[in-house]
Every structure is written in structure tokens, then in C-alpha cells.
Amino acid sequence: MSSLPIVSITRRESFSSCHRLHSQFLSDEENKKLYGKCNNPNGHGHNYVVLVTVKGPVDQQTGMVMNVHDLKRYMHSAIMEPLDHKNLDQDVPYFKAVVSTTENLAIFIWDQLQKIMDKPQLLHEVKILETEKNHVVYRGGNTYQRKKFNSSLHTNHHDVSSDSD
């Protein structure tokens, strides 16, 4: 039995959304200090670029890891329909309880793709370019155990958010 070559395929989509970085676990003052201008009560917007990579063996019969048309369809359902031209905090139920950072957006997209893909094991990476300077990459799985956030222990305040620029 011979091994099959492993190949990655990446597809790019762009969408526009607005959001406000604001944690329900922090006071208004703490939110303003932590998130800066990104805590604007009226929110702010981004033209996000998302790159989704699938990786796997090249099928000997089809010559493909995945049909790019299928990847396009998955991305439309998981990204474009729920997120494009939406207020993430108000229009996407997931973000009613989760801060709409780009990190959490990448996790959301990963989870949505995993639910609808015929072969979710092929999903390798979700990369979001929030700005020309800020990129987030998520490859699934948990490295750290999540603990309930205790705002009274929160001491790491920053004057600039990862969302600025």
C-alpha cells in the first residue's frame, strides 16, 4: 500500500461587519481602558479577509483533496450568510455571550465549518486578516483549560486593543 501525497488548499473570502469590544465581565471603565477606541458604544467596522485551509490526501480517483466548489459553498454558509454586513454583537447569537474579538470570530467560523463539512477532519486552518497589521490564526482544539473569568482578578489592562489600527 502506497501513501498518498498530502496537499493544502486555501480559499479566500471577504466580508464586512461591525462590532464593539465589550466584556460583560468587566465594568464600563475597565472595558474602556482595555479596549480603547474599539469599545465605542456605537461600535466600529472591519473589512475582514478570511482564508480557510483544508489539508489532506489527494484522492486517486478525483485528483482532489476537496472540490473547491464545495469549499466555496461551505464558506458561504459558515461565513458570508451569518456574518457579512452584520453587527456581530446584535445579529449573531453566538456573540451575545462571547466578546466579538477576532480570536473568537476565528473560533466561531471554525465551529460553523466543522458542523457543515462532509469531511470536517480536512479543516486545517482559519486565518482572519482583521487589518493589514493584525491577523489571527486558529487550527482547532484546546490547548488551555477554560476557566470562568473572574473580573476581580483581572489586572492586565492595556491602553490599546488588538483590534486597533
Side-chain angles (χ1 to χ4, degrees):
M1 181 169 127
S2 65
S3 59
L4 299 174
I6 302 296
V7 175
S8 297
I9 300 171
T10 301
R11 181 165 173 88
R12 175 185 173 122
E13 290 289 348
S14 300
F15 69 95
S16 298
S17 293
C18 70
H19 67 146
R20 177 187 187 205
L21 293 182
H22 189 88
S23 173
Q24 64 185 342
F25 300 107
L26 302 174
S27 69
D28 286 345
E29 183 179 309
E30 290 172 311
N31 272 294
K32 285 177 191 172
K33 188 170 184 171
L34 179 63
Y35 297 121
K37 67 182 180 179
C38 299
N39 183 246
N40 175 1
N42 295 317
H44 65 282
H46 294 283
N47 293 315
Y48 294 99
V49 174
V50 181
L51 295 106
V52 173
T53 302
V54 294
K55 182 177 179 180
V58 176
D59 183 276
Q60 291 178 332
Q61 291 181 343
T62 66
M64 298 184 283
V65 173
M66 173 185 286
N67 188 318
V68 176
H69 177 74
D70 291 340
L71 181 57
K72 177 182 175 182
R73 185 171 40 88
Y74 296 142
M75 291 176 70
H76 184 78
S77 294
I79 300 168
M80 303 309 289
E81 287 179 11
L83 303 174
D84 191 32
H85 287 82
K86 302 286 173 67
N87 180 319
L88 298 178
D89 305 313
Q90 295 176 16
D91 299 330
V92 182
Y94 178 85
F95 292 110
K96 295 206 183 294
V98 175
V99 181
S100 56
T101 61
T102 308
E103 295 90 333
N104 283 329
L105 184 58
I107 294 167
F108 171 80
I109 291 169
W110 177 279
D111 290 345
Q112 295 306 302
L113 287 165
Q114 286 275 299
K115 289 177 189 176
I116 62 173
M117 290 176 66
D118 291 336
K119 295 181 179 178
Q121 70 274 16
L122 295 179
L123 184 58
H124 176 67
E125 178 178 280
V126 171
K127 181 175 186 176
I128 302 176
L129 290 67
E130 177 189 55
T131 68
E132 286 190 25
K133 298 179 181 180
N134 299 330
H135 303 185
V136 169
V137 175
Y138 182 62
R139 291 190 177 138
N142 293 321
T143 303
Y144 300 102
Q145 292 286 355
R146 284 195 173 187
K147 295 179 183 176
K148 184 172 172 138
F149 184 76
N150 182 344
S151 64
S152 66
L153 299 176
H154 184 71
T155 58
N156 186 15
H157 296 288
H158 303 281
D159 292 327
V160 179
S161 78
S162 64
D163 197 8
S164 61
D165 289 348

